[in-house]
Amino acid sequence: MIVLGLSSGTSADGIDVAAADLRLEGDLIRLAPLGHRTTPYSPGLRQAIRNALPPAATTMEAVCRIDTGVGQEFAEAARRAHEDFTGGRAALVASHGQTLFHWAEGSRIHGTLQLGQPAWIAEATGLPVVSDLRAADVAAGGQGAPLAALLDALLLSGRAEPAAALNLGGIANVTVVRDGSPPQAFDTGPANALMDAAVRRVTGGRADVDSGGALARSGTPDADLLEHLLAEPYYRLAPPKSTGLELFGPAHLDAALQKIRVPSDADLLSTLAELTAVTVADALRPFAVAEVVASGGGVHNPVLMERLAARLRPTRLLTSESLGLDGDAKEAYLFALLGFLTWHGLAGSVPTCTGARRAPVAGRLTPGTGPLRLPAPVTTAPRRLRVEAPGS
C-alpha cells in the first residue's frame, strides 16, 4: 500500500511530504521510501501561524483561517507528491497538520490541537485521509507524544545493545529501546526552538536559523545564562512527558534574558546549543545507551552535533541515514506509517512511551471522492521495521 505522509513541526517552516510503499508481512513492516520534499508555507500563512502560537493571544477567526489555509497548502503538497512520487498510485494520505497548542500542566496533558482541515486534502487528491493522530492517545490518558516512538521502536528493535533515537526538531524527543524491556520515549526539552527564537531576536526577524551554526561557533557558552536555563523544572520531571512552544518558546528566552545579563549574540547562540546538548545527554544518561541515532533539522547544525557528541561520549552519535532513512523525511514517513496502521486497525502509539492506559488506533478518517472501504483488521501487531529500496 502506498501512503503519503504530511507533517509540519513546531518551527512552522513548511510542509514535509513523503511517499512510502508499506507492506506488512507477519510482524515485519517493510518500508520503501518513494520520495520526499519540503514545501515552504506561503509567507502570509506562515506569519499567521507564528502570530497565533503561544504565548500570543488569538481569535476564533484566526484559528478558522489557519485551519483552512494549512488544509489547502497541505492539499496542494499532497496532490503534487501523489503525481510526482507515486504516479497516481497512492491509496491513502496521513496528515499530522500543524500543532497550534499542546495543553500541558506539569506532566499531565489535557488536550492537543493540530490544524489543517483534511477535507481539502481529500478533495485535491481523491484519497481518504487519516488526520488528528494524537487525540486518541490523549483521551486514553497519554501525552499524545512522542508519536515517533512507534517508528523508532520498530526500527531499533533486535539490537544487542541499548540504543536511542533522537529527533532534533523545534523540541527534542528521544526513544530508548532495550532488548527485553518496553521502549520508553519523551520530550527532553528544546532542540531548535530557542536557538531559532534567538536568531530572530538578534537579527530583528531577518533570519530564522543560524545557518551552518556559524554564529554559535564564534561564541562561548555563558555559564550564568546556562545555569539559569537549566533550572527549569521540566527537565526534572520523570517520563513520560511532553512539551512544546507553550513552555520553550520566545517568551521563555525573553524571561531568562530579563534576569541574566544579556550575552553577545554569538555567546547567546553558543549557550543555547549547549543547553540542548546538556539536556539531551542528561536525559539519556540513566539508560546507558550505546548509540544515539539522530534525525531532524538539528542534525544540519554542526555545532549542535559536535556539542551533542561531546556530551554523549562514549555513546556513539549517528544519523538516521545510517539506517537508510532520510533524517529530514523521518517525521513524514512516521505519519505515513501511522496512517497505514490505522487503515489496518492497528494501534498508533506505544503506551510505555506516551503514558496512555492502552494503545488506541490513531486518528479519524475523511473519505476521498469514492466510497470508504476499509480492509479487515490485521490481528498480528508489527514488531520490526525494515527500510528497503523500492521494488526490493
Side-chain angles (χ1 to χ4, degrees), residues 163-301:
L166 167 65
N167 181 61
L168 296 168
I171 299 298
N173 60 68
V174 295
T175 304
V176 178
V177 179
R178 295 175 289 180
D179 192 32
S181 300
Q184 289 184 267
F186 53 96
D187 291 346
T188 64
N192 302 312
L194 295 184
M195 287 186 281
D196 292 349
V199 170
R200 290 192 290 271
R201 176 189 178 98
V202 302
T203 66
R206 295 188 303 277
D208 292 318
V209 297
D210 181 16
S211 182
L215 193 55
R217 187 177 296 284
S218 66
T220 302
D222 183 284
D224 292 338
L225 178 58
L226 182 60
E227 181 182 7
H228 178 82
L229 291 167
L230 286 171
E232 165 55 47
Y234 178 83
Y235 301 125
R236 284 168 290 285
L237 292 176
K241 59 181 180 178
S242 61
T243 189
L245 295 182
E246 299 76 28
L247 176 56
F248 293 113
H252 185 77
L253 179 60
D254 292 343
L257 294 178
Q258 288 174 5
K259 294 183 178 180
I260 303 297
R261 174 186 55 83
V262 179
S264 70
D265 295 347
D267 287 355
L268 175 59
L269 267 294
S270 180
T271 303
L272 296 174
E274 193 72 16
L275 175 70
T276 294
V278 169
T279 51
V280 168
D282 285 353
L284 287 174
R285 190 166 293 111
F287 300 100
V289 296
E291 64 183 21
V292 174
V293 182
S295 61
V299 301
H300 299 298
N301 184 329

Side-chain angles (χ1 to χ4, degrees), residues 312-323:
L312 288 167
R313 200 171 289 124
T315 298
R316 301 183 297 274
L317 179 62
L318 313 172
T319 65
S320 62
E321 277 78 2
S322 65
L323 304 181

Side-chain angles (χ1 to χ4, degrees), residues 152-163 177-180 383-385:
D152 293 336
L154 294 172
L155 191 60
L156 298 180
S157 67
R159 292 179 171 246
E161 297 178 295
V177 179
R178 295 175 289 180
D179 192 32
R383 299 180 62 188
R384 300 172 293 144
L385 183 144

